[in-house]
Amino acid sequence: MATLADLKISEVKLSEEQTGKWGMVIDQDICTGCQACVAACAMENNISFVGEEDSGYGRSMHWIRIERFWEGEYPEVKMTPNQPILCQQCGSAPCEPVCPVFATVHSQAEQLNLQVYNRCVGTRYCANNCPYQVRSFNWRDYERPEPLPNQLNPDVTVRRRGVMEKCTFCIQRIQKAQDQAKGEGREVVDGEFTTACAQACPASAITFGRVDDPESLVSRLTEQNYGVKHLEELGTLPRVTYFKGG
Amino acid sequence: MAVFADLEPAADAIEHLRSIGVHDDCMNVISGIPVTEAMLGRPSQWTNVPRIALGGAALGFLGGFFLAYVTPYLYPYPIQVGTQAFVPGPPTVVVLFELTMLGMLLATFLGVFLDSLFPNYRPMKYVPEVSDGKIAILIECSVMDEKKLTDALNKLGAESVQQAEAQHL
Amino acid sequence: MSEKKNHAEHAHGEEHLREKHLMLDPLPRGQMNEMVMESMQTTSWKFWVVFAILSVIVAYGLFYSWGVMIAEGLGVAGVNRPAYWGIFLVNTVFWIGISHAGTFISAILRVFKAEFRRPFTRAAELMTTFGLVQAGFSIFMHMGRVWLSYWLMPYPNQRMLWPNLHSPLTWDLLAITTYLLSSTMYLFLPLIPDVAMARDRSTGWRKTFYKILALGFRGTEGEWTHLRNAMGIFAWAIIPVMFSVHTIVSWDFAAATRPGWNSTIFGPYFVVGALHSGMGAVVMVLAIVRGTMKNMKYFIRPEHFDAISKLMLIISMAWAYFFFNDYMVQWYGGDKWTKQLMHFQEAGPMGWMWFAMLIFNIAIPWAVLWNARWRATPWIVFIVGLLINVGMWFERYIIIPVSLSINRMPFTWRLYEPGIEIPLGIGTLAFFILLYMAASRLIPLVPVWEVQEGQMAHELKKYGRETVVSVSELE
């Protein structure tokens, strides 16, 4: 794996054919809408508790949300598959060019969209430009009454007001697994670790792994060709494939 | 210094002064509105402001060039945002344009200061009537016959002819 | 008998022309100077009452509320998902729009040698500078961590991190800084001779103030040449800067992927919109200045309102043209999201605003400003200008928070309800008026030297039996 120092300017790859490195498959047909992934993500990533009023006003800070839609009027209501939406880690992310201070940039090593909390000045242009609307802004400093701070994950920063945040594909877990594997002189094995949401899902609707490795579970699932990528007509090159209605 | 109330007598006076041998360089016209030199039969004034403006535009362009082409490479590794080119085309045009204009306009402004030697708070030869619309002709070289000159100017319609004193404005 | 009648008619005609046109009604320069100095130094008790009220509004609405927002976070404002931008951005665009009118009048009208601009170029240019100050406030307000806003500026630092030139917000910073500096310089240059005049005619602290500002200007040939040369360069150069500024502001929206925002016509649409609201604001300011300041009735006459109103009508037509372009193309070939957005704009909870925008921006100007007598009536034009400004504020509200409510993820659609933005917005308005009131008593509002220059160039000529106004080119 190339370290930062190895990357030369000529190696900046900008081709649109990139499939990326880390990806996900989410099976909407299996998703029960239980929100275990939401809870697990909040625990793993030190997400603040916003409260009912602010949340109702559209200020929830869930990095992954379950979107539910229905057709028809009561009592003939037909539920359509639940839709877990999280940051798609776009290969051509619209949120990246618009940040004036380079607070959201593309990681060439991990092929992820990074959010740099300590650089963000809170212009919120990135959130406006995200077609999936997956970015969360810290509208206030939300309280964590005792003993909640004991639950905080030491691997993840705690963000303050005025800073944008979003799903990182649990980059802290990615780094930890890669560090461990490097220490042991081997590559990371598929399934050795996974994101918090994938780990928590009781229906195993979320699968996470290396999409550039054809042997990984994620790649084998994607090959089955009935997945869709949301809003891919916008050219965002999302890394998450959704199985729906199949 | 001779103060005139109107354009015509002032122009006549300048002609007369020239005929008695006062060189154009020795004369200076101070007025409350810009009377062009042509109206008074005076040679055109030289100004450096356009050249300073161009110089400023060049500096601004260089500044924009630096921002657009140099700063992306200053960070230890290339920062990739979206799939836009590393030095993007259209944004570079915007940056170059804005900074060129800024440089040009700042330089024009400073050029006025430089050329006119602003700010100048030393005592200067002036009469406050000038800002009331009068036209003053300041003769700076020594003239042979001051009395004759004063008489001639008075006959031509000067409101007042007096020794110019440098005073605090 | 007929000769006498003709003569009487001529005298009456000439008298009428003189009354109507400032340029044909010259007074001795000394008297005009006296009038301007008097208008500056006369303040009634009403002035101070308004000044005090505005100061209180500014202290509470601008400074205290902003302090609360910095301490609490943007949660006290009304922004949410998906409307991450709200009234702060609306106000920013609004104030930058107002500032464009000043440049239009002092630069474009100068370039086109429209003589009627002469008495109010400075009044308009002051609007530019103060409007940009309010725009600056509004844009800093909307930032989550405003205390780190200096990171947007290009400066060498230990991390070697420079601003992101891909971002329209960086272009915004460069463009608005250029525009603010340029328009302030352009305000100051023609001010120098007038401040010199004020220096010659005042005593005490005013004299010291003007002496410092006048930089030792006397009016020598050299000084005038440099000044006029520079003003010429400024007038020509600031026009493309003005166009570029609001175009770049429009690209904050047009460069985004949102339905309704990603429109290629935003550039010229916003520039024309800026001129529209700006001209409306200029007539409002002129009507107030003429009505409340001493001696201004000599300088600012119904003919000026007539001329500006004609411009307002033309710009209103241009705005309607660009609006219809944008609307028609979206309506015709729009995808499902754009269609949803348009339906929400017109028939949603804020639909009244959309209709009000069209009535105030198009219907009322077109209904009123065609009539020459109404155009020359200051209070009528004031109301039209006020309604245009309200309509244009509505237009920006529709474009920003209302359009942001609709996006490609229907689960996130939500209405925007303003919170602390309201006192903050009112605070910027009060600050604008406050700054203007202070400036009107500190610097001469009318560029007397330009007025005299114009009066020198105008004369009545007889073509056969007709008396005509004729303007000579003094340059």
Side-chain angles (χ1 to χ4, degrees), chain C residues 146-409:
Chain C
V146 61
W147 51 94
L148 295 170
S149 54
Y150 63 90
W151 283 346
L152 272 110
M153 288 175 231
Y155 68 96
N157 54 70
Q158 172 256 326
R159 290 164 296 171
M160 296 309 254
L161 255 181
W162 293 76
N164 180 6
L165 292 179
H166 299 244
S167 170
L169 294 179
T170 314
W171 314 337
D172 246 356
L173 173 82
L174 294 174
I176 295 177
T177 307
T178 305
Y179 190 45
L180 176 63
L181 288 174
S182 307
S183 67
T184 310
M185 295 189 283
Y186 191 41
L187 170 72
F188 187 67
L189 281 179
L191 181 63
I192 298 176
D194 282 308
V195 169
M197 177 277 285
R199 166 200 67 199
D200 292 337
R201 282 177 158 266
S202 50
T203 52
W205 67 268
R206 272 190 188 268
K207 188 170 172 99
T208 321
F209 178 61
Y210 296 132
K211 194 168 130 180
I212 297 175
L213 267 186
L215 309 170
F217 181 83
R218 291 181 291 159
T220 60
E221 291 168 320
E223 287 168 0
W224 278 119
T225 310
H226 304 315
L227 198 68
R228 294 178 81 221
N229 202 299
M231 279 168 60
I233 296 177
F234 261 91
W236 281 96
I238 210 170
I239 297 173
V241 172
M242 170 187 115
F243 272 85
S244 73
V245 167
H246 222 64
T247 308
I248 289 174
V249 168
S250 81
W251 287 343
D252 284 345
F253 314 114
T257 58
R258 293 274 196 152
W261 272 18
N262 203 354
S263 165
T264 52
I265 207 160
F266 264 27
Y269 177 39
F270 269 56
V271 172
V272 172
L275 290 175
H276 198 29
S277 63
M279 296 303 273
V282 165
V283 286
M284 283 172 69
V285 166
L286 286 183
I288 294 177
V289 163
R290 182 185 136 97
T292 58
M293 282 179 77
K294 208 164 167 199
N295 295 325
M296 283 296 145
K297 285 205 164 71
Y298 167 73
F299 288 106
I300 301 174
R301 301 185 179 200
E303 60 157 341
H304 300 122
F305 290 95
D306 180 43
I308 300 180
S309 303
K310 284 187 216 163
L311 283 174
M312 272 164 68
L313 185 59
I314 295 172
I315 294 173
S316 169
M317 292 179 180
W319 185 85
Y321 165 73
F322 280 108
F323 172 82
F324 188 65
N325 249 287
D326 185 49
Y327 182 85
M328 211 284 285
V329 169
Q330 286 188 321
W331 175 87
Y332 199 98
D335 58 66
K336 62 180 177 187
W337 306 112
T338 314
K339 285 204 171 76
Q340 288 275 10
L341 174 63
M342 297 181 82
H343 180 79
F344 181 74
Q345 282 175 342
E346 299 156 34
M350 302 310 271
W352 61 267
M353 209 183 246
W354 191 83
F355 282 104
M357 162 185 83
L358 289 176
I359 293 173
F360 293 162
N361 286 342
I362 304 179
I364 292 185
W366 291 18
V368 172
L369 295 179
W370 60 269
N371 182 317
R373 239 190 21 188
W374 292 346
R375 278 201 303 264
T377 316
W379 66 266
I380 294 183
V381 179
F382 175 86
I383 292 179
V384 174
L386 176 65
L387 291 175
I388 288 179
N389 270 299
V390 171
M392 286 308 295
W393 194 90
F394 284 168
E395 184 239 10
R396 282 123 184 183
Y397 192 91
I398 302 275
I399 289 181
I400 306 178
V402 175
S403 296
L404 283 178
S405 292
I406 305 295
N407 51 44
R408 295 184 183 86
M409 303 300 280

Side-chain angles (χ1 to χ4, degrees), chain B residues 6-7 33-36 39, chain C residues 21-26 32 113-118 228 448-461 468-475:
Chain B
D6 221 343
L7 197 53
I33 56 168
V35 278
T36 59
M39 287 184 213
Chain C
H21 294 289
L22 170 66
M23 291 291 123
L24 296 172
D25 187 14
M32 289 203 289
K113 300 198 198 307
E115 294 289 320
F116 66 84
R117 77 175 192 280
R118 286 183 183 270
R228 294 178 81 221
V448 192
W449 70 267
E450 287 195 61
V451 171
Q452 192 194 354
E453 197 188 15
Q455 287 174 338
M456 253 179 66
H458 281 70
E459 56 173 355
L460 288 169
K461 264 173 88 144
V468 187
V469 182
S470 124
V471 187
S472 7
E473 283 228 7
L474 281 185
E475 316 255 326

